[in-house]
Amino acid sequence: MNYRLLLCIKLCILLIIGFSAAAQEFDKEYFKKHLQTKVYAIDTNASAVILYENIYTHIAYEDYKIIKKQTVHKIIKILKSDALDLANVHIYHNSIKMENVVGNTYNMAGDKVIATTLKKEDQMEKQITKYYSSKNFSLPGVKVGSVIDYSYDIITSYREVLFTWHVQEEYPKLESIFSIVYPYSLEFTSISHIGATRKEYDLEEKAENANDSFAYVKRTYSQFQKVYWIRRNVEAYKNENFIVNKENYLERLDMQLTGMGIPGNLTRFDNTWAKFNQDIWEHANLAYTIHSDNKFLNHVVDSIMALDYSTVGKATNIYKYVRSLNINHETQNDLTEIDNFDLKALFNRAIAGKELNSTEGNLLLMCMLMKAKVKTDPVFTGTSNKVSATEKFPVADRINHLACMAHLIDGPVFLDASNKFNVLGALPPEHYNGFAWIVNDTGIGIVLTTDLIKDKTIFNVKIHDITDSNAQVEVVQKLGMITSGAMRRAWDNKKETKEIMLNAFKESLPQGVTIKERIIENEDNPDANLVIKYSFPMEFEKSANSIFLNTNIVKFFKANPFIAETRKNPIEFPCQSEYGYYMSITLPANIEPDSTYQPFSMDFDNNGITYKRNIGYIPEQHVLTVNSVLSINNTVYETNQYVSLRSFFQKMLDDCNQLLILKKSNKK
């Protein structure tokens, strides 16, 4: 797809006669009915219900510009206090203007419906960035039981090539309508994630008066055409753990521009990945930028290469250099405007300590690697807050990040310098989000899945100085590199997150223990495992004849993560994982194991997940050992495997909670 062409559309299209959204009337009886409704069958526990939602988009050619006008109308019933924030509306936009903001709150006073109207002085406009603004308003008089009703228009110069209807969201919807009116000289293709089968009608009125769960109308006029969808009784999205990307499971519909021209002579875009590759590599001059001599890089690249002239050494040290620059990983350039880079100016900003965005940082990384004669390819990925890209053709907003792939002696390695805590040799986990594209002379698609990355976390536990009433415990938690990187990024983003995460670990320890000392090692070193050390005393009942300990003092999982009896979506682990638990108990002469323990092992889905545990005793050293290993080798399991997977984890937890019995004697 030629993104620059789409962003610079200049066509002579006849002025479209105004075609306004069909305004559905809602009288006081409608509001009275819903004000008196306390529970809705679609979700008897819902905190709010979207009673009505209508998103209408009108594209027209006015004053030699393509203009997009979008009207949004929502009516919401507030059922519980945790949904009161729905009355605080924040609309982010890059519009020419936003107008016709109208809002009312409806409440009951006796048998009467009382409406409180939103005032203009209660509306606030705020500039967020150079291009984006936020319109904020709070509907007045909202309480539990209220119905809120608001609408607004956004008018903007037409830039977007994609319109999205978010059908399924946090709250259930009784009725959601999405429609778009556009010139006959444009063509849109719809990409649907809606599971229901649609019923087609020739008129919107027929679709509105029917009761289908999903209805569709397409009407063609002399100068414009209209497509219209209506979806009813949409359940709220229910969060389930172990979902890498919930966006892949939410109902939605994308409308992407795929052709334009004049009536009878419509030209469809070459909407293929090969065309995307050509546009980025050749037309946007990415090949030229990366392969140019870039002499201004000589001094810094030569000095870095002098540290280690091997291919791996050069790549490693250049990566560390760029990663240490002032890069804001939360910002990135529009990937469709990648031809606007002035690499020399970018480099001068970097060495002056000025902020780069993530795209700029990784572009500089690639140019420096190529300067050092390390073959490098750009990689365009989508993150897990976006629907996964499809191999069929590019969708405008699903590819949102530029990283790179360096070709080293042992094979290709992914590099992403956009965050100072990113791990060498792997992308952050959120980039393993399905289809991605490597840009070079020909280009090639790859599938990035969570099976491609592996993490290994080890718990070493030592129990010593045991008496009749207590013992000293030391725990060393060596986190895997992927987990270490994720924790460092989280801690750096929000300082309070650190204590929240560390306190969560305490929950996996035996009840009642008080941590005496905590040491964190390698906190600021992204190339080393994060190590957290704890020490604490553990109390026993002095008068008892035996001491009882769980086989795993520290649990891989405190409780079964799969609580629900049933599950709707597949199970997706964030990466291949291995958890190792190694405990040694140094026993005094008067305490011995009360029995021998047989080894235990089990596997799920032909070694897709395995668990093994061994307990041993070394009489000469008077040391009891417990070794447990949980290995998650396959990361995705279908819904029909859920019950068996749930049972597997429960059996593992039962084994981890098995008691070690240490018997006291009169020996000294």
Side-chain angles (χ1 to χ4, degrees):
M1 175 185 295
N2 191 326
Y3 285 92
R4 292 184 299 151
L5 173 64
L6 297 180
L7 298 176
C8 303
I9 301 171
K10 292 182 180 179
L11 298 173
C12 291
I13 305 173
L14 293 174
L15 179 65
I16 296 175
I17 299 173
F19 193 98
S20 60
Q24 187 168 337
E25 296 295 329
F26 299 93
D27 57 19
K28 283 197 173 183
E29 288 304 313
Y30 172 88
F31 291 106
K32 185 175 183 179
K33 169 191 169 185
H34 286 289
L35 285 167
Q36 293 175 335
T37 303
K38 306 296 183 185
V39 175
Y40 289 82
I42 190 171
D43 187 344
T44 57
N45 198 41
S47 296
V49 173
I50 313 299
L51 305 177
Y52 176 80
E53 175 183 73
N54 192 340
I55 302 165
Y56 168 82
T57 302
H58 183 195
I59 300 173
Y61 191 73
E62 300 174 1
D63 298 328
Y64 304 102
K65 295 179 182 178
I66 290 185
I67 301 296
K68 184 191 79 172
K69 178 179 179 180
Q70 189 170 72
T71 299
V72 177
H73 183 193
K74 291 191 178 186
I75 304 176
I76 306 170
K77 171 67 184 249
I78 307 294
L79 293 163
K80 295 182 181 178
S81 59
D82 60 326
L84 288 171
D85 193 53
L86 288 172
N88 301 317
V89 183
H90 308 277
I91 303 152
Y92 299 94
H93 62 93
N94 60 343
S95 311
I96 297 173
K97 61 180 177 179
M98 183 173 172
E99 61 184 14
N100 299 329
V101 179
V102 177
N104 286 289
T105 301
Y106 295 92
N107 289 299
M108 292 292 295
D111 195 43
K112 292 183 179 180
V113 176
I114 305 298
T116 308
T117 301
L118 175 69
K119 298 177 181 178
K120 283 190 177 181
E121 53 264 34
D122 294 329
Q123 303 172 29
M124 182 177 66
E125 188 85 18
K126 184 178 180 182
Q127 195 73 27
I128 304 299
T129 67
K130 181 179 179 181
Y131 301 106
Y132 278 85
S133 299
S134 171
K135 184 82 169 187
N136 307 320
F137 57 86
S138 296
L139 291 154
V142 179
K143 59 186 178 182
V144 173
S146 297
V147 173
I148 59 176
D149 177 8
Y150 64 87
S151 63
Y152 55 87
D153 295 335
I154 293 180
I155 301 174
T156 182
S157 294
Y158 180 70
R159 284 176 54 90
E160 294 88 346
V161 295
L162 181 76
F163 302 108
T164 298
W165 176 26
H166 296 282
V167 182
Q168 189 178 33
E169 296 179 287
E170 182 180 358
Y171 299 102
K173 299 179 180 180
L174 299 188
E175 186 172 82
S176 181
I177 298 171
F178 180 80
S179 59
I180 178 171
V181 173
Y182 54 96
Y184 192 70
S185 52
L186 301 181
E187 177 191 74
F188 284 88
T189 297
S190 64
I191 307 160
S192 174
H193 276 223
I194 300 174
T197 303
R198 74 184 189 189
K199 177 74 176 291
E200 295 194 15
Y201 291 91
D202 58 352
L203 294 172
E204 294 94 315
E205 292 80 2
K206 291 181 180 179
E208 290 170 0
N209 293 329
N211 197 32
D212 306 293
S213 61
F214 186 28
Y216 168 76
V217 179
K218 182 172 183 178
R219 300 176 69 185
T220 302
Y221 304 86
S222 60
Q223 296 177 353
F224 58 86
Q225 51 194 326
K226 180 179 182 180
V227 286
Y228 170 99
W229 290 267
I230 183 169
R231 182 77 170 89
R232 295 183 176 90
N233 298 320
V234 184
E235 294 182 354
Y237 176 79
K238 301 294 185 183
N239 286 321
E240 294 180 311
N241 56 4
F242 293 103
I243 291 289
V244 170
N245 184 357
K246 75 172 187 178
E247 295 296 325
N248 287 331
Y249 302 105
L250 290 171
E251 283 195 29
R252 62 184 276 151
L253 183 140
D254 294 323
M255 286 281 289
Q256 176 154 320
L257 184 63
T258 54
M260 60 171 42
I262 60 174
N265 189 21
L266 191 72
T267 301
R268 289 183 173 85
F269 303 127
D270 183 2
N271 192 15
T272 62
W273 283 105
K275 187 64 169 64
F276 170 87
N277 190 86
Q278 184 182 33
D279 287 341
I280 295 295
W281 193 239
E282 297 176 13
H283 298 163
N285 294 322
L286 187 56
Y288 175 80
T289 301
I290 294 174
H291 291 286
S292 289
D293 191 26
N294 295 326
K295 292 182 179 179
F296 54 87
L297 294 175
N298 284 350
H299 177 71
V300 67
V301 171
D302 288 346
S303 64
I304 294 172
M305 287 171 57
L307 300 173
D308 188 338
Y309 281 100
S310 69
T311 302
V312 173
K314 289 187 293 185
T316 299
N317 290 323
I318 289 173
Y319 173 76
K320 290 180 178 180
Y321 171 82
V322 177
R323 185 183 59 183
S324 68
L325 298 174
N326 182 15
I327 301 174
N328 186 343
H329 65 281
E330 294 184 346
T331 62
Q332 57 189 31
N333 269 14
D334 186 341
L335 298 184
T336 64
E337 298 177 354
I338 201 165
D339 56 339
N340 290 341
F341 283 110
D342 180 337
L343 187 67
K344 186 174 182 179
L346 188 159
F347 176 67
N348 288 334
R349 283 169 47 214
I351 60 177
K354 295 183 179 180
E355 183 180 287
L356 305 182
N357 63 46
S358 64
T359 304
E360 292 170 332
N362 280 324
L363 184 65
L364 179 60
L365 170 65
M366 285 184 278
C367 293
M368 291 180 66
L369 288 170
M370 293 295 287
K371 188 71 178 174
K373 301 190 183 307
V374 178
K375 185 178 183 304
T376 307
D377 290 325
V379 182
F380 286 83
T381 72
T383 50
S384 55
N385 61 342
K386 301 281 187 181
V387 176
S388 297
T390 171
E391 188 174 356
K392 293 181 180 179
F393 61 90
V395 179
D397 76 336
R398 298 186 186 179
I399 297 294
N400 64 339
H401 189 78
L402 173 66
C404 74
M405 185 171 70
H407 297 266
L408 306 182
I409 295 173
D410 294 329
V413 173
F414 290 113
L415 298 173
D416 183 353
S418 64
N419 188 289
K420 63 184 178 181
F421 292 125
N422 282 357
V423 176
L424 175 68
L427 301 175
E430 62 268 21
H431 293 278
Y432 293 85
N433 188 41
F435 192 78
W437 190 261
I438 298 173
V439 175
N440 50 38
D441 288 339
T442 57
I444 188 171
I446 56 172
V447 179
L448 299 177
T449 68
T450 51
D451 278 333
L452 297 175
I453 48 177
K454 187 169 185 176
D455 212 26
K456 184 175 182 179
T457 292
I458 295 174
F459 299 93
N460 279 304
V461 179
K462 293 183 179 180
I463 303 178
H464 57 92
D465 293 339
I466 299 176
T467 69
D468 286 345
S469 58
N470 60 57
Q472 299 302 313
V473 182
E474 296 172 4
V475 178
V476 178
Q477 182 184 16
K478 183 181 179 182
L479 299 175
M481 289 297 292
I482 293 173
T483 302
S484 296
M487 290 187 74
R488 291 185 183 106
R489 287 190 293 271
W491 294 359
D492 188 57
N493 189 41
K494 281 189 176 182
K495 299 303 180 184
E496 61 269 24
T497 303
K498 178 178 177 180
E499 285 306 313
I500 293 172
M501 287 184 165
L502 293 174
N503 287 334
F505 174 73
K506 295 179 185 178
E507 298 298 317
S508 66
L509 300 175
Q511 288 187 350
V513 303
T514 300
I515 292 176
K516 183 174 63 176
E517 185 179 31
R518 184 183 73 195
I519 299 172
I520 301 174
E521 296 179 353
N522 306 325
E523 183 172 352
D524 297 318
N525 183 358
D527 300 312
N529 298 81
L530 194 63
V531 176
I532 307 173
K533 299 179 179 180
Y534 299 88
S535 62
F536 53 88
M538 190 161 53
E539 305 294 329
F540 308 128
E541 187 178 340
K542 185 174 182 179
S543 60
N545 294 323
S546 298
I547 296 172
F548 300 93
L549 296 173
N550 288 126
T551 52
N552 286 43
I553 296 295
V554 182
K555 308 293 191 300
F556 304 141
F557 298 90
K558 183 183 178 184
N560 194 332
F562 304 109
I563 300 171
E565 294 289 336
T566 60
R567 187 176 174 101
K568 183 177 180 180
N569 297 311
I571 302 94
E572 300 172 337
F573 292 98
C575 60
Q576 290 190 53
S577 302
E578 181 178 305
Y579 300 91
Y581 175 87
Y582 306 98
M583 179 170 71
S584 66
I585 306 173
T586 302
L587 299 173
N590 67 326
I591 297 179
E592 293 183 349
D594 192 39
S595 61
T596 58
Y597 300 89
Q598 297 301 315
F600 178 76
S601 66
M602 59 179 180
D603 77 275
F604 176 76
D605 193 40
N606 296 320
N607 292 320
I609 304 178
T610 63
Y611 171 72
K612 298 178 181 179
R613 186 265 304 147
N614 282 296
I615 300 176
Y617 180 56
I618 309 172
E620 297 82 5
Q621 300 177 16
H622 226 45
V623 172
L624 181 68
T625 61
V626 179
N627 299 330
S628 303
V629 177
L630 170 67
S631 298
I632 300 174
N633 305 309
N634 296 332
T635 59
V636 179
Y637 295 93
E638 297 303 321
T639 309
N640 60 10
Q641 297 175 284
Y642 174 71
V643 174
S644 299
L645 183 62
R646 182 171 177 260
S647 175
F648 175 92
F649 270 79
Q650 190 56 54
K651 289 177 182 177
M652 179 193 71
L653 282 167
D654 291 343
D655 187 73
C656 290
N657 288 324
Q658 183 184 179
L659 289 177
L660 296 171
I661 304 174
L662 308 178
K663 190 175 181 180
K664 299 176 183 178
S665 69
N666 294 322
K667 289 183 181 179
K668 294 186 180 180

